[in-house]
Each structure stands twice: as C-alpha cells, then as structure tokens.
Amino acid sequence: MNADNTSTDTVIDGTATEIPAQPPKPGKGIPKRTWVVGAVALPLAFGAAGLSLARNGTVPMTPVEPVAIQALAPSGATAIKGDVAEIFGNKFVVQDATGRALVETGPAGEGGKLVAKGESITVQGRFENGFLHAKLMTHADGRQDLVGPAGGPPPGGLDWARDKVGLGSTPDVPALTEAVKKAGYDDVRVTGRGPRHLEVAAKDKDGRERELHVGFDGQVRDRPDR
C-alpha cells in the first residue's frame, strides 16, 4: 500500500476472449502424426468386422458325397467318412469298413490338434499320390475346419486390400459353373478361388477327372501345374 492508500496491485481482467484459430500455413500437408493415427485407427475401425471381411475372398466349396475308402481315386474333389485311427503330426489316418486312408492337413494341422483319435470325421479334399489333401473337415457335431489357404488375391496387393473391405471382385459362381459345362465338362465341383479365377474339379467327355481354372471372364483352362 502507498501512503495515499492507492493499491499498486495489478488487476487481471478475467473476461474470456476467443482467440481466432490460426489457418494452416500454405504448402503444409497433413501432419505426420495424423497419418500415424489414421493408420492405427483404420484397422481398429474394421476390427469388429474382421472375421467377416477376411472371408470375402472365399467361395463356397461344392459339397461332395463321401466314397468308400477302398474306392478312392485321383480327384480334385472327393471325400471320405470314417473314424480317426492314428495321428502323426499334421497327418492322420481315417478308417472305414473298407480300408484306411492317410489324410494330410498342411501347416494348419501341425501339432495334431485338429482331430482326436477315435472321433468320427468327414474329410473333403484332393486325392493324389496316395494322400487325401484335406480342404474341409466336418466333425460329428457339425463343426467345420477349413484347411489350407482361403484363396483370393495374394496378401498385400491392391486386389487383396479391396477384398478385405468388401470391394473386391465377386465371382458369379452359378454362371461360371455353367461356363464349365458349356465347355464340355460334367460333375463340376468348385474347390476354391484364386486371384481372378475359380478352382474347379470336373470330368471331361471321356469321364476323366480334370482340375481347371475358370477365369472370372468365363474362360476355362487346365490348371497350370497339372
């Protein structure tokens, strides 16, 4: 206090004053931090739908009626039904009243956890060189295991990314199946999907088992590695 009782304390006005937002400086792009946040947020946004999106690249396999193990013959799409007799890592033996068959499950079956000894199982897949290479396994309780790659575009590319968010090519399976029949094949069974084609097992006019690629444009050709 001064002698004249006049205060020298400074009084700060508490009235709020809006500070106008500063426009971004010309020539500046989106801050790097924004890109980082966006990159993290995008997968999280799709997380809830992740399981359904991951299946966009797949197509339904044509169900195949099981045959007796004794009747197994080279085929791109066949099936057996029986009991699991033995398990050897990613391979197991299925036994029915006519014989035994060795089933191979690839990396998905490592550790022998896909099946249990003694359980009843139906296995659909490709039979060649004495092995049934499983693609679909159905347990007695109806539970199914899809074994092997789901198909579709190779991971990491633009087509793959479009598939994952539901924007990829959707093959017209009935129309493509009809294209195979018009090309002179019968007993057409869809076994999977490639980047831009369906994988199909069928029989030619002489009754021989064939494995085919059917482009989404309807072109039918032999599977390249056959």
Side-chain angles (χ1 to χ4, degrees):
M1 288 287 231
N2 290 335
D4 58 0
N5 294 328
T6 302
S7 172
T8 59
D9 294 341
T10 301
V11 177
I12 300 176
D13 184 1
T15 304
T17 303
E18 182 178 356
I19 301 175
Q22 295 297 319
K25 294 181 179 180
K28 293 291 185 180
I30 299 174
K32 290 183 179 179
R33 185 173 181 275
T34 303
W35 283 112
V36 172
V37 172
V40 173
L42 185 59
L44 291 178
F46 286 119
L51 291 176
S52 60
L53 294 178
R55 295 182 177 273
N56 283 345
T58 66
V59 295
M61 292 175 59
T62 303
V64 177
E65 189 70 22
V67 301
I69 289 176
Q70 190 178 43
L72 274 173
S75 173
T78 190
I80 59 173
K81 182 177 181 179
D83 297 330
V84 177
E86 304 289 344
I87 302 173
F88 309 98
N90 68 344
K91 299 178 179 65
F92 60 91
V93 175
V94 175
Q95 179 175 337
D96 69 5
T98 68
R100 290 183 163 205
L102 186 59
V103 177
E104 191 269 334
T105 61
E110 294 292 348
K113 302 299 184 182
L114 284 177
V115 295
K117 188 173 181 179
E119 77 162 301
S120 178
I121 192 86
T122 301
V123 184
Q124 180 171 330
R126 186 181 79 255
F127 184 73
E128 63 178 359
N129 301 324
F131 285 83
L132 180 58
H133 300 272
K135 295 199 75 172
L136 180 67
M137 303 196 309
T138 304
H139 301 262
D141 60 2
R143 178 171 48 90
Q144 292 187 321
D145 291 313
L146 185 63
V147 182
L158 179 59
D159 287 341
W160 175 83
R162 289 172 61 85
D163 257 13
K164 290 297 175 258
V165 296
L167 298 176
S169 301
T170 303
D172 186 341
V173 176
L176 295 178
T177 300
E178 189 61 28
V180 178
K181 293 179 179 179
K182 288 181 178 179
Y185 297 93
D186 197 8
D187 191 15
V188 181
R189 289 144 286 153
V190 176
T191 62
R193 180 198 155 173
R196 297 183 183 277
H197 67 268
L198 291 185
E199 296 176 357
V200 168
K203 291 183 179 178
D204 63 18
K205 61 182 181 180
D206 297 320
R208 294 175 299 187
E209 186 78 5
R210 301 283 291 275
E211 292 188 57
L212 308 169
H213 277 185
V214 187
F216 291 170
D217 58 0
Q219 292 188 359
V220 180
R221 64 188 188 279
D222 282 320
R223 185 174 172 179
D225 58 350
R226 289 288 178 271

